[in-house]
Amino acid sequence: MKGRQLSACFWKVLYFAYVKSDRNHPFLEQGKCENMVNFMLYISADLENLTNFQPAGGVDDPNFTYYFKLKCENCGEVTEKETCVSLNETLPLPKKGTTNLIQKCKFCKREGTVTMIPGRGSPLTNELSEGGKHAALMVFDCRGFEPLDFAFSSGWKAESIEGTKFEDIDLSGGDFSEYDEKGACPVMISNVAAMFKVVDLNFVVCPEHYLRAIHCYF
């Protein structure tokens, strides 16, 4: 019986991989925003005796504010000051739906939008930090703009290796240092860095279609 269950799981995983790899498959839906470019924000830092570095309310904190500059894709003009966006602040789009930012380029007057896509991020762990790796934090679905120069500010949290929680960490000055009494050791966040990278989210497998396919297939 156990062998049959393992075999069924194997074929389900294989079928899912096949569906996801075939963009013309009937159970694959194309993303609605073909002309948009999705930018993933990646963060890195040196974590001394700390782990799970992330926004205070988690990676999808609705109240966390992201600060970054915008480059107009039409004329190349870069905003002088940082723009700020958060998940809990939305604006209606002219035709349908909502976005987190509608802004006009001061130079060419071209209008663009930035829409945040939660559910794709994860905290920066001590293991990632020691390996010199980045953690994906948030996706920004941009039309007409390119995000640049993310600025670290307040509203972060982390926990020590011993489990002590440090809330409302302010990284406006670049570093954070404290003392963990439980672990009897200093803790520090330094060398914070961030970058935006283009990611492909245009094609997604719809869960209801996948489940229907599995039901019919098996």
Side-chain angles (χ1 to χ4, degrees):
M1 184 66 181
K2 186 178 290 186
R4 291 182 180 178
Q5 291 176 343
L6 288 174
S7 178
C9 289
F10 168 78
W11 284 109
K12 287 178 182 180
V13 171
L14 186 64
Y15 182 77
F16 176 75
Y18 162 68
V19 170
K20 193 170 183 180
S21 65
D22 183 3
R23 293 191 170 188
N24 295 317
H25 196 280
F27 294 112
L28 197 63
E29 276 194 352
Q30 187 174 355
K32 295 180 180 179
C33 302
E34 293 183 12
N35 297 324
M36 287 190 176
V37 181
N38 298 295
F39 293 89
M40 176 73 81
L41 173 63
Y42 292 90
I43 60 170
S44 65
D46 291 338
L47 303 181
E48 183 180 342
N49 298 317
L50 288 173
T51 191
N52 293 334
F53 172 50
Q54 60 186 312
V59 290
D60 292 331
D61 184 350
N63 300 310
F64 184 79
T65 303
Y66 293 83
Y67 297 91
F68 49 83
K69 294 183 178 181
L70 291 172
K71 178 181 178 181
C72 177
E73 291 188 341
N74 182 54
C75 67
E77 183 74 7
V78 178
T79 56
E80 293 182 7
K81 297 181 179 180
E82 287 87 7
T83 295
C84 59
V85 294
S86 61
L87 282 170
N88 68 352
E89 294 185 6
T90 59
L91 298 167
L93 288 168
K95 292 183 179 179
K96 187 180 179 182
T98 60
T99 186
N100 299 103
L101 177 72
I102 300 176
Q103 187 164 306
K104 223 177 237 189
C105 174
K106 289 186 177 180
F107 188 77
C108 70
K109 309 303 179 184
R110 183 71 65 88
E111 192 174 81
T113 63
V114 177
T115 306
M116 301 169 68
I117 303 177
R120 307 273 180 167
S122 59
L124 179 67
T125 63
N126 186 266
E127 183 180 1
L128 288 173
S129 175
E130 289 186 346
K133 297 180 180 179
H134 292 74
L137 191 60
M138 179 63 67
V139 175
F140 298 88
D141 205 343
C142 301
R143 175 172 289 177
F145 287 115
E146 177 185 348
L148 301 170
D149 303 335
F150 173 77
F152 286 87
S153 57
S154 59
W156 298 86
K157 72 175 180 179
E159 59 185 78
S160 71
I161 302 301
E162 296 297 326
T164 303
K165 298 185 184 301
F166 294 90
E167 309 282 350
D168 198 21
I169 296 173
D170 189 352
L171 292 169
S172 301
D175 296 338
F176 166 80
S177 60
E178 264 290 352
Y179 187 79
D180 178 19
E181 295 183 359
K182 184 178 180 180
C185 63
V187 296
M188 179 180 287
I189 300 174
S190 59
N191 297 322
V192 291
M195 64 178 179
F196 290 98
K197 290 185 68 175
V198 175
V199 291
D200 184 8
L201 301 179
N202 282 337
F203 291 87
V204 294
V205 176
C206 299
E208 63 272 18
H209 288 177
Y210 169 65
L211 291 174
R212 194 186 314 148
I214 291 297
H215 177 74
C216 295
Y217 193 79
F218 294 102

